[in-house]
Amino acid sequence: MTGSEDTPDLALTRFRAVSEESLRRAGESLSGLLGHPVRLTDSAISTVPGGALPDLTAEAVSGPMAGLLIRFSGEAAGQIVILFPMATVFRMLRVLLKGQVRLLSLSETERSAVQEVGNILASAFLSGLADLLGKRLMPSPPQLHVDDFPGLIQQVMADLEGEGSEVLVVEALFEDPGQRIEGRFYVLPEAASLTALLQAARGDG
């Protein structure tokens, strides 16, 4: 991975701590939106071969899924991928739209509501990361893929093309005591941005 010689374990440990705090902020934002506690817990921060990403995310897929792709830019760049089972999407929509939800296909209003969930999660995470690392980070509008997991991963892989043999993946799980919200949250910094992020985490940048 690019810059791996300059990224000691201490920097990764610090980056993990920063990511955990940023995930906590994202969970609080979602909790406020839905009106009940939801946590985002760090499952793993690891480097994986770029070609293994479809297999990694496929582990989260069982049944119909909705996926959100948010790109971020600024003083670092990368992608955030959020995966929700459709059952979770419908539960969220019942809360957000006061029970007015169709269970066959999503209307434009419903799609916009799901995209807003992605925007709130990504913005809260990136705001936390930016505050803690002193980096300016801006999210793009979320792209929503409903029951099109291969199409979503194709876009992610196209963005990662040329990134090198390995990518850093931050993976988090949604935890909900009431078991109403399930999903996965992935952060994939670009290789060119990773060294700067880890240097900031280590206190060098």
Side-chain angles (χ1 to χ4, degrees), residues 171-196:
E171 180 181 4
L173 304 176
F174 289 83
E175 288 191 353
D176 179 353
Q179 297 184 334
R180 288 167 283 186
I181 303 298
E182 298 177 11
R184 301 279 182 107
F185 186 97
Y186 300 94
V187 184
L188 301 96
E190 287 185 359
S193 300
L194 183 55
T195 298

Side-chain angles (χ1 to χ4, degrees), residues 36-177:
H36 74 272
V38 181
R39 296 178 60 214
L40 268 166
T41 58
D42 170 25
S43 172
I45 294 182
S46 58
T47 55
V48 300
L53 188 62
D55 293 335
L56 176 68
T57 51
E59 294 174 6
V61 178
S62 58
M65 301 286 293
L68 290 149
L69 172 60
I70 301 103
R71 295 179 176 89
F72 61 91
S73 59
E75 293 182 81
Q79 302 174 78
I80 293 174
V81 177
I82 306 170
L83 301 179
F84 289 122
M86 287 304 295
T88 286
V89 169
F90 291 131
R91 290 187 193 106
M92 290 192 298
L93 288 173
R94 289 190 192 100
V95 174
L96 298 172
L97 302 179
K98 311 303 181 188
Q100 301 174 10
V101 178
R102 302 182 307 172
L103 296 180
L104 297 176
S105 61
L106 298 183
S107 67
E108 284 304 310
T109 298
E110 291 162 349
R111 291 178 68 90
S112 294
V114 178
Q115 287 172 307
E116 183 58 18
V117 169
N119 182 54
I120 287 171
L121 282 166
S123 295
F125 176 84
L126 292 173
S127 176
L129 207 62
D131 288 348
L132 293 165
L133 295 181
K135 298 289 183 184
R136 184 173 56 90
L137 303 171
M138 300 171 295
S140 71
Q143 296 180 22
L144 176 62
H145 295 250
V146 178
D147 207 12
D148 182 23
F149 181 74
L152 171 63
I153 297 304
Q154 282 176 9
Q155 280 204 42
V156 173
M157 294 299 293
D159 283 354
L160 290 175
E161 204 170 340
E163 285 286 291
S165 60
E166 292 186 320
V167 294
L168 179 73
V169 179
V170 179
E171 180 181 4
L173 304 176
F174 289 83
E175 288 191 353
D176 179 353

